[in-house]
Amino acid sequence: MPTKQTRWFGAEMTLISIIMFFVEFVRGAVLVSLLPIYGAKTLGLSPDVIGVAISAHYITDTLLKIAIGYLLDRFSMRLIVQVGLFISLIGVYLLQFADLPWMFIGAAAIYGIGMSPIWIVCLTKVTEGNRGTQMGFLYTIWFVGLGSGPIVCNILLDYSSSFTYTLLVSLSVLACLLSMFMSKQRAQKREFLPMREQLGVLKSRMSQMKLLLPGMILQTMGASMLVPILPAFAENRLGISGTQYSVLLTVGGACAAAGLIPMGKLSDKLGGRKWFLVFGFGFFAFALYMLAWGLSFWYCLLIAMALGLSYATVLPSWNALLAAYVPPKQEGLGWGILSTVEGIGVMIGPVAGGLIATWNGETSVVWFSAVLFGLIGLFYLWFPFHGLRASGTATNK
């Protein structure tokens, strides 16, 4: 008789994880490589326009999260995911015609519409036991896809932009086809609370987690600020080639992916997720601080490793902590709201990063991001998580 943990790693979850890998591979390639490089070098767009396009992607992604979470509690997972992936496919396809700034921004916005469903489906399937381990597994799949996309895209863009674009469209089509084999069941089979009662429970949980809210917004803002300026920063400030830039992304991503599951298990074993967050955010800030000095490639390689390991320290503990606040009987809606709160930072970050880079150069964006992560670490060092037990489970008032 399979256990709940065994079923979580069963055929259905494997299929969903594969779809998520392809979705995040294309997303990483589009956001980190295609939009910044194509927008700057081919279209001649300024960093602030590129930042607006990336933010437009995340705005549509974020604004739909609550609605999609609500729909996943009531309709077939397959239907919601298929519709979302099809709309995203349209957005990727339209990028080839985006020769004007407003078209460039519009295509990126359409692309963001279909990103929410597959991720929220994964989150609703996380079980009570070993949350950190399960989050580590999910984020490994997510991070390998998101990280390998720009690496492969950077290499292929040196040889053929048309082939690179065709590959991304083909993988988007493949994700749509694979979604046809998903279950027709809803995300969770259960009796639902009335909407008024759901909103009351969610309001109570949001009140309990008020000390987490700054981190939810600022960490995503600090990270997303870097997205529109990273290629230019690597070339202009670090003086590295496209191949070396891909090596840095590979090393940092590999360290993050390799550390996610072990850090998740360690978090489950030791509890006290506060300290994982404090040290993770602190080391991430220090690594960005060192990166801003424009050191040689080999120092940057060590910094990339530190950034990856810091990220792996934070992510499983952070999301396992958030999972404690998702009320029963409304997992889809709960994760939709939490993802929306985190998405506020992602909506602001690329625009802020592009504006700061236009005003004072790419290096200032890295400095600013380092300061944000340092402040988050200090905030959680001095302010304990009231209402949390050591295991990270929310207490009821």
Side-chain angles (χ1 to χ4, degrees):
M1 186 73 177
T3 63
K4 180 182 283 188
Q5 184 71 5
T6 303
R7 289 198 302 270
W8 192 85
F9 290 99
E12 177 73 8
M13 196 60 203
T14 300
L15 174 63
I16 294 173
S17 299
I18 293 172
I19 295 172
M20 184 174 71
F21 172 80
F22 287 130
V23 168
E24 296 300 337
F25 181 96
V26 176
R27 190 213 286 256
V30 169
L31 296 183
V32 179
S33 295
L34 196 64
L35 291 185
I37 295 175
Y38 174 75
K41 294 188 174 181
T42 303
L43 299 181
L45 300 175
S46 60
D48 53 346
V49 174
I50 295 172
V52 170
I54 295 173
S55 284
H57 164 86
Y58 283 115
I59 287 172
T60 53
D61 178 20
T62 300
L63 292 180
L64 288 172
K65 276 189 167 73
I66 294 179
I68 289 173
Y70 182 84
L71 293 173
L72 282 171
D73 282 339
R74 285 155 179 80
F75 297 99
S76 161
M77 291 187 300
R78 188 172 77 178
L79 174 63
I80 304 301
V81 171
Q82 280 182 325
V83 172
L85 292 182
F86 181 73
I87 295 174
S88 289
L89 174 60
I90 294 174
V92 175
Y93 180 77
L94 290 177
L95 283 174
Q96 64 182 312
F97 306 108
D99 54 354
L100 295 174
W102 69 268
M103 296 175 65
F104 187 76
I105 295 169
I110 293 173
Y111 177 56
I113 292 175
M115 295 291 101
S116 301
I118 189 66
W119 181 239
I120 295 180
V121 165
C122 290
L123 293 177
T124 60
K125 288 184 172 290
V126 173
T127 58
E128 289 291 330
N130 300 316
R131 279 180 175 152
T133 303
Q134 294 176 16
M135 285 296 184
F137 171 78
L138 282 181
Y139 268 96
T140 299
I141 300 295
W142 169 79
F143 202 84
V144 170
L146 193 66
S148 59
I151 293 169
V152 173
C153 189
N154 284 340
I155 295 172
L156 293 179
L157 282 173
D158 288 338
Y159 297 95
S160 173
S161 57
S162 61
F163 175 79
T164 305
Y165 174 76
T166 302
L167 174 65
L168 298 181
V169 172
S170 299
L171 290 178
S172 299
V173 172
L174 180 58
C176 288
L177 294 176
L178 288 175
S179 68
M180 296 175 63
F181 298 96
M182 289 178 59
S183 170
K184 293 182 179 180
Q185 296 177 345
R186 293 182 298 214
Q188 296 288 340
K189 280 182 143 180
R190 59 181 84 241
E191 292 193 16
F192 300 103
L193 297 173
M195 177 56 68
R196 180 177 297 180
E197 189 174 345
Q198 288 190 40
L199 294 177
V201 174
L202 285 170
K203 181 180 179 181
S204 174
R205 294 298 174 98
M206 293 294 286
S207 176
Q208 292 175 17
M209 62 185 297
K210 57 189 175 183
L211 285 181
L212 297 180
L213 296 180
M216 292 176 69
I217 297 173
L218 293 180
Q219 67 165 305
T220 52
M221 177 181 172
S224 62
M225 286 176 62
L226 301 172
V227 175
I229 61 96
L230 272 179
F233 174 79
E235 181 179 355
N236 299 332
R237 175 62 171 169
L238 302 182
I240 62 178
S241 64
T243 300
Q244 289 176 319
Y245 178 57
S246 294
V247 170
L248 292 180
L249 291 176
T250 303
V251 170
C255 288
L260 283 170
I261 292 178
M263 286 298 180
K265 290 182 177 179
L266 191 62
S267 174
D268 285 332
K269 182 178 179 180
L270 299 180
R273 294 187 173 112
K274 165 185 174 177
W275 295 106
F276 282 82
L277 300 179
V278 170
F279 284 114
F281 285 131
F283 277 105
F284 200 87
F286 179 73
L288 285 176
Y289 167 79
M290 296 301 297
L291 187 66
W293 283 99
L295 302 175
S296 67
F297 172 75
W298 296 107
Y299 284 107
C300 290
L301 201 62
L302 295 176
I303 293 171
M305 294 172 64
L307 287 170
L309 291 175
S310 299
Y311 208 54
T313 302
V314 167
L315 278 181
S317 296
W318 179 260
N319 286 279
L321 194 61
L322 293 185
Y325 289 95
V326 176
K329 301 184 180 180
Q330 47 184 328
E331 279 81 359
L333 181 60
W335 275 114
I337 289 178
L338 293 180
S339 298
T340 300
V341 173
E342 287 188 311
I344 293 173
V346 182
M347 290 189 291
I348 299 172
V351 173
L355 290 174
I356 293 172
T358 301
W359 166 61
N360 201 36
E362 295 90 0
T363 303
S364 60
V365 182
V366 181
W367 286 110
F368 198 92
S369 181
V371 170
L372 277 182
F373 281 105
L375 290 175
I376 296 170
L378 288 175
F379 181 85
Y380 289 127
L381 174 65
W382 296 110
F383 292 87
F385 296 154
H386 298 296
L388 291 178
R389 294 193 288 268
S391 63
T393 303
T395 59
N396 295 322
K397 290 185 179 181

